[in-house]
Amino acid sequence: MKLKILLDNTAAEGFESVHGFSVLIEFGKKVLFDAGPNELFVKNAEKLNEDFSDINTVVLSHGHWDHGDGLKHLSGKDLILHPDCFITRHRKRNNTSVGLSMNKGELSKNFNIKESKKPFWISENMVFLGEIPRVNDFESKKSPFLLPDGSPDFVPDDSAIAITSSKGLIVISGCAHSGICNTVDFAKKVCKTNTVYAVIGGFHLKEIDELTIKTIEYLKAENIKILGPTHCTSFKVRDEFAKSFNLLELAAGVVIEL
């Protein structure tokens, strides 16, 4: 299995970065997971000799601009997402939009949209998790986002990809607004396994607080071999994770073989 980081908040030499996330997954078939906020994922892909001509499936982790606005630079693919990706949403602190710049009608002109709240199997070994239950007592308890009526937006459309491999379960998150522990827990149930090999992607952890500490405790108890927090995971939180895990150093242009 190979992961090519096409876009992240940081970049390897020769690649470009921006606040956003995009990764190309190669495991039996190629799947693009998220497309960042602009055309940079395409530019970085070209430097990795990828032009998306052999990719039929794109998955959107959730309906935020930094993961989905780059879709305007792609077309002719199946697009798997949660139906709530198209809701209008804003930041609480300044009322600026955080949703997608394209609505469902506009995206439908360029993609064959497949909406699913339930787990959607992309291949025999790869599944879009759909809506992730919020089951533990420490994640997804508050949100910096609002819906148009002023109520909190807990990003119900937040999802992830889970892959079953001979080494164990591999979970790839976009931002983990539903909580990375909730995500891993649900992936285990969907894939009917208790062995988690790797967890990679945005964890949406900013401070070394109770949430971060409990997340570390949960992931340590899972005996995870490979951990790659990136994108919306702050550097000080990554440093805290590094005390307990051997972390992958992720950035745009990095290629990982698992």
Side-chain angles (χ1 to χ4, degrees):
M1 176 182 170
K2 188 177 291 185
L3 300 178
K4 296 182 178 180
I5 309 299
L6 302 185
L7 198 61
D8 205 347
N9 293 35
T10 59
E13 185 176 355
F15 294 83
E16 297 182 68
S17 66
V18 70
H19 179 81
F21 189 64
S22 177
V23 57
L24 182 61
I25 303 167
E26 297 182 23
F27 190 63
K29 65 183 294 182
K30 288 185 177 182
V31 174
L32 178 66
F33 184 51
D34 286 346
N38 54 31
E39 76 285 354
L40 283 185
F41 81 102
V42 177
K43 292 183 178 180
N44 286 335
E46 289 173 351
K47 295 174 183 177
L48 292 171
N49 298 314
E50 296 287 349
D51 62 4
F52 306 114
S53 60
D54 57 350
I55 296 172
N56 297 319
T57 304
V58 180
V59 176
L60 182 62
S61 64
H62 63 298
H64 278 178
W65 65 279
D66 55 327
H67 294 255
D69 275 5
L71 291 172
K72 66 183 65 175
H73 302 282
L74 201 61
S75 64
K77 317 291 184 184
D78 290 338
L79 175 60
I80 302 169
L81 47 71
H82 187 292
D84 287 346
C85 280
F86 299 107
I87 63 178
T88 301
R89 56 219 331 175
H90 298 84
R91 292 183 183 87
K92 186 182 297 183
R93 71 174 186 270
N94 58 14
N95 204 41
T96 54
S97 174
V98 293
L100 300 176
S101 63
M102 296 170 289
N103 60 36
K104 182 178 178 180
E106 291 169 326
L107 275 174
S108 295
K109 295 177 182 178
N110 293 324
F111 294 93
N112 174 29
I113 295 178
K114 297 183 177 181
E115 298 178 323
S116 184
K117 288 187 177 183
K118 295 181 179 180
F120 184 100
W121 285 90
I122 303 166
S123 69
E124 182 181 356
N125 303 101
M126 190 184 308
V127 61
F128 167 72
L129 291 177
E131 190 162 323
I132 296 170
R134 321 291 171 97
V135 297
N136 63 45
D137 62 0
F138 57 93
E139 291 181 307
S140 191
K141 298 304 177 185
K142 57 184 179 180
S143 175
F145 311 117
L146 296 175
L147 297 171
D149 63 3
S151 63
D153 172 21
F154 287 98
V155 198
D157 47 311
D158 176 79
S159 193
I161 286 179
I163 300 165
T164 57
S165 76
S166 60
K167 297 178 180 178
L169 192 62
I170 299 166
V171 180
I172 306 172
S173 69
C175 246
H177 292 287
S178 54
I180 193 62
C181 303
N182 282 327
T183 302
V184 170
D185 190 59
F186 190 52
K188 288 166 58 181
K189 291 179 180 178
V190 171
C191 297
K192 299 178 181 179
T193 180
N194 288 318
T195 303
V196 184
Y197 177 64
V199 181
I200 296 165
F203 291 3
H204 214 272
L205 297 171
K206 307 295 185 181
E207 304 295 334
I208 303 172
D209 52 14
E210 182 183 16
L211 172 57
T212 294
I213 298 304
K214 287 191 173 183
T215 299
I216 291 172
E217 291 173 351
Y218 173 92
L219 295 174
K220 284 175 66 176
E222 291 295 324
N223 196 29
I224 293 165
K225 305 301 182 186
I226 293 177
L227 201 70
T230 191
H231 176 48
C232 52
T233 315
S234 72
F235 288 108
K236 61 182 176 182
V237 168
R238 296 184 212 186
D239 289 341
E240 191 68 21
F241 271 105
K243 296 176 182 178
S244 302
F245 302 93
N246 291 319
L247 300 187
L248 291 174
E249 294 294 331
L250 301 180
V254 169
V255 178
I256 306 158
E257 292 193 24
L258 299 174

